[in-house]
Amino acid sequence: MDKQFALEILTPKGVQINTNVFNVTVKTSSGFITLLANHEPFISSIRISNININIGENKDSIYAIGTGALKFYKNKLTIVTDFLQKNDSEANAIELRKAEINKELKNSNDEISTLDKMEVYLEEEITKLKN
């Protein structure tokens, strides 16, 4: 296992990982696949799962990953996903993604609530100006 390849993982938050690795195991629409250096060109959708990234001898990093797509071309693996979170405990990726979505929904509800309050205030002020 002496050959590495480039790995880049992109999320809506930007580039999350950009490093050289020995192999990556991820769940695709056809099941789990392990990609090694010099793999044939490959494109696939990915499913919510844990992704195992081998960065060296006995140095694996595990992340929970959301849905997305991957492309392996010219010894570079590019993954575009909606979610990526370090997963040291090997917890269920679906549960981690669910928690992240609930957090995002709560934040958006707070923003909507604030916007609703601002809209009511604005309407009250417009009514005062008209009178």
Side-chain angles (χ1 to χ4, degrees):
M1 205 183 344
D2 60 339
K3 297 206 176 188
Q4 292 183 311
F5 61 91
L7 170 65
E8 182 177 51
I9 300 180
L10 306 147
T11 71
K13 296 177 182 178
V15 176
Q16 299 298 305
I17 295 176
N18 190 7
T19 189
N20 289 327
V21 299
F22 287 98
N23 66 61
V24 173
T25 301
V26 66
K27 187 175 185 181
T28 69
S29 55
S30 302
F32 281 94
I33 185 170
T34 300
L35 296 159
L36 303 168
N38 301 313
H39 194 285
E40 290 293 317
F42 182 76
I43 296 175
S44 180
S45 61
I46 58 172
R47 306 264 175 142
I48 296 174
S49 65
N50 287 329
I51 181 173
N52 186 317
I53 302 169
N54 180 271
I55 56 173
E57 196 171 307
N58 296 322
K59 293 181 183 174
D60 287 358
S61 294
I62 299 171
Y63 292 82
I65 194 166
T67 58
L70 67 81
K71 175 181 82 169
F72 192 94
Y73 185 68
K74 292 187 178 180
N75 233 21
K76 180 178 181 180
L77 175 60
T78 303
I79 298 175
V80 179
T81 182
D82 62 348
F83 173 75
L84 185 73
Q85 179 177 327
K86 186 80 169 138
N87 192 2
D88 292 322
S89 66
E90 292 196 35
N92 185 330
I94 294 172
E95 291 302 317
L96 289 172
R97 181 63 179 133
K98 182 179 171 184
E100 181 70 16
I101 289 170
N102 284 333
K103 181 180 170 186
E104 289 173 9
L105 284 173
K106 183 187 178 308
N107 288 342
S108 68
N109 285 339
D110 290 346
E111 290 172 9
I112 290 170
S113 177
T114 301
L115 289 174
D116 287 342
K117 290 176 186 174
M118 291 173 66
E119 185 177 3
V120 168
Y121 174 77
L122 184 59
E123 287 176 7
E124 289 173 351
E125 292 301 311
I126 290 171
T127 303
K128 288 178 185 176
L129 288 172
K130 286 181 178 177
N131 294 332

